[in-house]
Amino acid sequence: AARGAKVVVLDMSDDKGKALADEIGGAFCHADVTNTDDVIAAIETAKEMGPLRVLVNCAGIGWATRTIGRDGQYESAHDLDVFTKVISVNLIGTFNCIRLAATAMSQTEPLDEYNERGAIVNTASVAAYDGQIGQASYSASKGGVVGMTLPVARDLAAVGVRVNCIAPGLIDTPIYGQGE
């Protein structure tokens, strides 16, 4: 936004998402990245502001949960619903945004003689490579983001959409209890 890009902020947190969008002069869309209709609505909002050229995927959730419980009972093993939810948001939600945003990007006119139409940045985590105790679901989800980036980049190269992945270390975000 500081360099002139028109930005749409997608978030589940209406207060924080709207505050950020207002701060940067952008638009806010309440969106669950796993909900196709929500993501399409956000993309359509972006298209009203100009051609969609960039997607930054950075949705992420996680709970520190050990694989087995201290008592050795089946009931205390890692909750499968929690594991599924983390994979759904972090990995499947990322792919959902990619597939829909890339579709919109593919409909735009190329920017140059190299057929460039847009760029996608996926946010993984150092946990994709070096997960800690209790990070099985989070590490698996971010490892999946790393693993899908190259094949998706190869796939989207045909329509001029570049895809890269970053894997930052610890960042002060709400996933760690602060994020202020």
Side-chain angles (χ1 to χ4, degrees):
R3 292 180 162 228
K6 296 173 184 161
V7 178
V8 177
V9 176
L10 285 70
D11 204 328
M12 295 284 292
S13 171
D14 293 343
D15 292 342
K16 290 180 181 178
K18 182 155 180 24
L20 177 60
D22 289 347
E23 179 183 327
I24 63 173
F28 171 72
C29 289
H30 177 94
D32 174 346
V33 294
T34 66
N35 182 299
T36 296
D37 292 336
D38 285 358
V39 175
I40 290 173
I43 290 168
E44 290 299 314
T45 297
K47 286 170 55 178
E48 290 170 8
M49 299 166 73
L52 181 61
R53 299 287 186 191
V54 176
L55 168 67
V56 178
N57 276 310
C58 54
I61 61 170
W63 291 274
T65 305
R66 290 188 177 244
T67 307
I68 63 172
R70 291 179 190 240
D71 62 6
Q73 300 299 307
Y74 295 125
E75 295 79 20
S76 65
H78 192 304
D79 186 319
L80 191 57
D81 290 338
V82 167
F83 190 94
T84 301
K85 177 72 174 176
V86 172
I87 296 293
S88 181
V89 170
N90 298 0
L91 178 57
I92 297 170
T94 294
F95 182 74
N96 194 36
C97 291
I98 290 169
R99 74 187 184 94
L100 298 169
T103 297
M105 289 177 193
S106 76
Q107 299 167 1
T108 63
E109 288 298 315
L111 290 166
D112 55 26
E113 69 274 16
Y114 302 107
N115 199 37
E116 293 184 82
R117 286 189 168 88
I120 296 172
V121 177
N122 294 329
T123 304
S125 167
V126 69
Y129 307 100
D130 190 22
Q132 302 300 308
I133 291 171
Q135 287 188 319
S137 60
Y138 185 76
S139 293
S141 70
K142 294 303 186 172
V145 170
V146 170
M148 81 172 162
T149 297
L150 182 57
V152 169
R154 288 177 171 153
D155 183 27
L156 295 178
V159 294
V161 176
R162 186 176 61 253
V163 185
N164 294 99
C165 185
I166 61 170
L170 293 178
I171 298 174
D172 183 19
T173 67
I175 201 170
Y176 293 109
Q178 289 295 113
E180 313 262 73

